Amino acid sequence: MEGYILGRSDLASSYLPDIDLSTFDAKQRGISRRHAVLVNYNDTVYVMDLGSMNGTFINGTRLISHEPHALRIGDRLGLADLNMIIA
């Protein structure tokens, strides 16, 4: 099982997430430094919110923090105000 932290770097902190979304205006969009994690388990990718302030969403539904949710092709994954389509 491997996982990747989604979040943003910040000049006020030395923390650097595995996938840095800073180039997508992450701070202005409400993305936390440690926002969510992607985990590959048994050939399925799961996303889990890490207690972010502005939430993680699948197809518009806010996820409960610290509970993994499977991602499927075509799902709309939202991290605060940043949306992406799973392909």
Side-chain angles (χ1 to χ4, degrees):
M1 180 166 51
E2 59 182 298
Y4 299 94
I5 303 290
L6 300 167
R8 64 175 172 84
S9 59
D10 192 317
L11 296 175
S13 169
S14 62
Y15 178 74
L16 187 63
D18 297 314
I19 300 173
D20 187 357
L21 299 170
S22 294
T23 58
F24 299 98
D25 295 324
K27 186 172 184 176
Q28 292 81 353
R29 291 177 178 265
I31 296 174
S32 301
R33 288 182 188 97
R34 292 177 36 90
H35 197 98
V37 62
L38 294 175
V39 177
N40 184 2
Y41 180 72
N42 286 340
D43 296 324
T44 300
V45 176
Y46 294 84
V47 63
M48 185 171 60
D49 184 85
L50 296 174
S52 68
M53 172 99 49
N54 295 308
T56 300
F57 304 81
I58 296 178
N59 300 322
T61 300
R62 188 172 183 150
L63 305 182
I64 296 171
S65 293
H66 306 290
E67 286 188 14
H69 296 271
L71 287 173
R72 292 171 178 70
I73 292 174
D75 279 348
R76 190 179 77 233
L77 174 62
L79 304 177
D81 195 25
L82 176 66
N83 291 294
M84 55 200 94
I85 302 295
I86 304 302

